[in-house]
Amino acid sequence: MKDVRIDRRLFLRGVGAVAAGVAASSLAACGTGSSRSAGSSGTAGSSKTIVVRNSGGAYGDANQKALYEPFSKETGIEVKVININYAQMLAQIEQGRPQFDLIDNSMIDFVKFAKAGATEQLDYDRLKNAKNAGIAQNLLATHAVGKNYWGSVMAYRTDAFGGRKPGSWAEFWDTKALSGNRALQHVDADIPELEFALLADGVPLDKLYPLDLDRAFRVLDQVKGSIKKYWDTGALPGVLLGRREVDASSVWHGRLDDLIKQGQPLAYQFQGARRQSNGWAVPKGTNNLDAAYQLIDFSLRPEVQAHFAEVYPMAPIVPAAYEKLSEEVSANLLGSSKNLATGFDADVEWWVANDDVVTKRWQEWARV
């Protein structure tokens, strides 16, 4: 399954190459994907088709079921999907011929898109469902708006540690009291998990940024000898935990849901969860601006947000959506009121500014 987080890492590595001049070759390599319908006149609001770029896989399937189909039923606007990569997207936009009207992607990526001048500034007057909806301010950016929460949490075997439940990243780091192998995320998967090291060392949630890199790597040194594996795909933590190769690991929330339902002795710990969000952005040069705003606004309805969370383990960003979910479903989502209070939002601006430096340092640290 293609995953939005793996795509994000590839994008951060590839965007520099695009800026250096591969736009033309990237455009030539782009497949046709789902093209616009012949009935599109090219004027804003007149098309009965909108082309959305998403990352595909199970995430794309969930969007089809919980978002695109009900949107088309209500509006008569057909949603077509394209799964092209970031170099191709940026190349098309630079050429003034994007084959897509709307981008579904991680909010951290949209910071780079905006810096490249590739996305439109949003007109929030056209997004009535975003107004006074209680959406976190960091998800109401000038060139992108949030869509769903996802994030990284701790996972552990419930039959390890003598039945004790690690309740914090400090306990994850305490391999003397809770002996056993650990796993942490590889830099190839997503941004390094430096925040978890700082939380383990006593840094408060609201004092994490700017990250103290020297301190974070000193704390990582303390657990390095117990790290059995640095995982680089979203499925690997479940494999490692299931085989009892490790007793605790960081994991992308939702990745263990099926295993837990099957009776595997696994559980999540939400304390200190690092939240991120997928969002929407409109590419420069779209000919279908009205339909793009309609789909964004539709996605922010509480009932639509709730339906998506029931289909796929990403959390609503609209607080009212939780009133439409069962307590059982809500308790397992990173955006619920309880889990919001015990986690934190990744500072996407800080990560975009420091990603190259951190990645280089992490790779050097992991090799030693």
Side-chain angles (χ1 to χ4, degrees), residues 8-9 12 107-109 111-112 115 138 191-195 198 207-217 274 276 344-362:
R8 194 210 68 77
R9 172 56 56 185
L12 286 176
M107 290 293 282
I108 196 169
D109 296 350
V111 175
K112 289 241 175 181
K115 290 181 183 298
N138 65 303
I191 53 177
E193 297 169 328
L194 304 187
E195 295 96 335
L198 293 171
K207 302 295 183 183
L208 284 169
Y209 299 99
L211 301 183
D212 184 333
L213 298 185
D214 291 338
R215 182 175 179 179
F217 281 98
R274 181 174 70 183
Q276 296 190 61
F344 65 95
D345 293 308
D347 187 329
V348 296
E349 293 279 355
W350 188 92
W351 273 110
V352 167
N354 294 276
D355 189 67
D356 288 345
V357 171
V358 175
T359 297
K360 182 175 184 293
R361 184 162 178 177
W362 192 96

Side-chain angles (χ1 to χ4, degrees), residues 160-209:
F161 312 125
R164 290 179 60 185
K165 300 178 180 180
S168 67
W169 288 109
E171 293 186 4
F172 180 98
W173 249 254
D174 191 350
T175 56
K176 292 182 179 178
L178 299 175
S179 62
N181 289 325
R182 310 293 203 256
L184 287 173
Q185 180 180 274
H186 195 283
V187 71
D188 283 347
D190 197 15
I191 53 177
E193 297 169 328
L194 304 187
E195 295 96 335
F196 298 157
L198 293 171
L199 290 174
D201 202 39
V203 177
L205 290 170
D206 61 350
K207 302 295 183 183
L208 284 169
Y209 299 99

Side-chain angles (χ1 to χ4, degrees), residues 15 27 73 85 116 202-203 216 229 231 243 249 261 317 341:
V15 70
L27 180 60
K73 184 177 180 180
N85 65 34
V203 177
K229 180 74 173 178
W231 54 269
R243 293 177 179 171
S249 176
K261 289 175 183 176
I317 65 166

Side-chain angles (χ1 to χ4, degrees), residues 83-100:
N83 302 134
I84 63 173
N85 65 34
Y86 297 100
Q88 292 170 329
M89 279 194 287
L90 288 169
Q92 289 184 23
I93 293 169
E94 288 181 355
Q95 292 289 326
R97 299 194 301 267
Q99 294 181 1
F100 46 93

Side-chain angles (χ1 to χ4, degrees), residues 36-314:
R36 300 176 188 276
S37 67
S40 175
S41 69
T43 58
S46 63
S47 176
K48 285 298 183 181
T49 300
I50 181 172
V51 181
V52 178
R53 184 275 170 196
N54 69 38
S55 58
Y59 177 71
D61 294 341
N63 275 287
Q64 188 66 37
K65 180 178 180 179
L67 180 56
Y68 305 154
E69 290 177 2
F71 174 77
S72 295
K73 184 177 180 180
E74 177 175 302
T75 65
I77 300 172
E78 181 184 3
V79 179
K80 294 190 176 184
V81 179
I82 192 167
N83 302 134
I84 63 173
N85 65 34
Y86 297 100
Q88 292 170 329
M89 279 194 287
L90 288 169
Q92 289 184 23
I93 293 169
E94 288 181 355
Q95 292 289 326
R97 299 194 301 267
Q99 294 181 1
F100 46 93
D101 305 300
L102 192 57
I103 307 170
D104 178 338
N105 195 18
S106 172
M107 290 293 282
I108 196 169
D109 296 350
F110 286 139
V111 175
K112 289 241 175 181
F113 272 110
K115 290 181 183 298
T119 49
E120 298 281 355
Q121 182 168 332
L122 292 179
D123 180 358
Y124 279 93
D125 288 337
R126 303 183 70 172
L127 298 175
K128 64 180 187 300
N129 290 312
K131 288 187 175 182
N132 303 315
I135 298 172
Q137 195 61 40
N138 65 303
L139 300 182
L140 301 173
T142 58
H143 290 77
V145 60
K147 179 175 178 278
N148 311 96
Y149 281 121
W150 56 272
S152 300
V153 299
M154 185 197 308
Y156 62 94
R157 290 189 61 94
T158 58
D159 58 358
F161 312 125
R164 290 179 60 185
K165 300 178 180 180
S168 67
W169 288 109
E171 293 186 4
F172 180 98
W173 249 254
D174 191 350
T175 56
K176 292 182 179 178
L178 299 175
S179 62
N181 289 325
R182 310 293 203 256
L184 287 173
Q185 180 180 274
H186 195 283
V187 71
D188 283 347
D190 197 15
I191 53 177
E193 297 169 328
L194 304 187
E195 295 96 335
F196 298 157
L198 293 171
L199 290 174
D201 202 39
V203 177
L205 290 170
D206 61 350
K207 302 295 183 183
L208 284 169
Y209 299 99
L211 301 183
D212 184 333
L213 298 185
D214 291 338
R215 182 175 179 179
F217 281 98
R218 283 198 303 269
V219 180
L220 281 169
D221 283 338
Q222 297 169 13
V223 77
K224 190 173 185 179
S226 296
I227 299 176
K228 171 97 173 188
K229 180 74 173 178
Y230 299 107
W231 54 269
D232 57 2
T233 67
L236 191 51
V239 173
L240 296 171
L241 288 161
R243 293 177 179 171
R244 200 157 190 176
E245 293 183 40
V246 302
D247 296 308
S249 176
S250 59
V251 65
W252 293 332
H253 175 250
R255 282 294 187 152
L256 303 184
D257 286 6
D258 287 344
L259 297 175
I260 293 171
K261 289 175 183 176
Q262 293 166 14
Q264 291 261 15
L266 306 175
Y268 297 114
Q269 168 55 252
F270 290 101
Q271 186 75 34
R274 181 174 70 183
R275 287 186 301 271
Q276 296 190 61
S277 174
N278 258 38
W280 296 112
V282 179
K284 286 283 183 69
T286 178
N287 290 321
N288 212 355
L289 194 59
D290 286 350
Y293 274 108
Q294 282 181 264
L295 182 52
I296 296 172
D297 205 37
F298 183 88
S299 76
L300 297 177
R301 292 182 185 176
E303 65 273 16
V304 175
Q305 290 257 304
H307 187 200
F308 191 91
E310 291 170 337
V311 172
Y312 193 80
M314 290 177 75

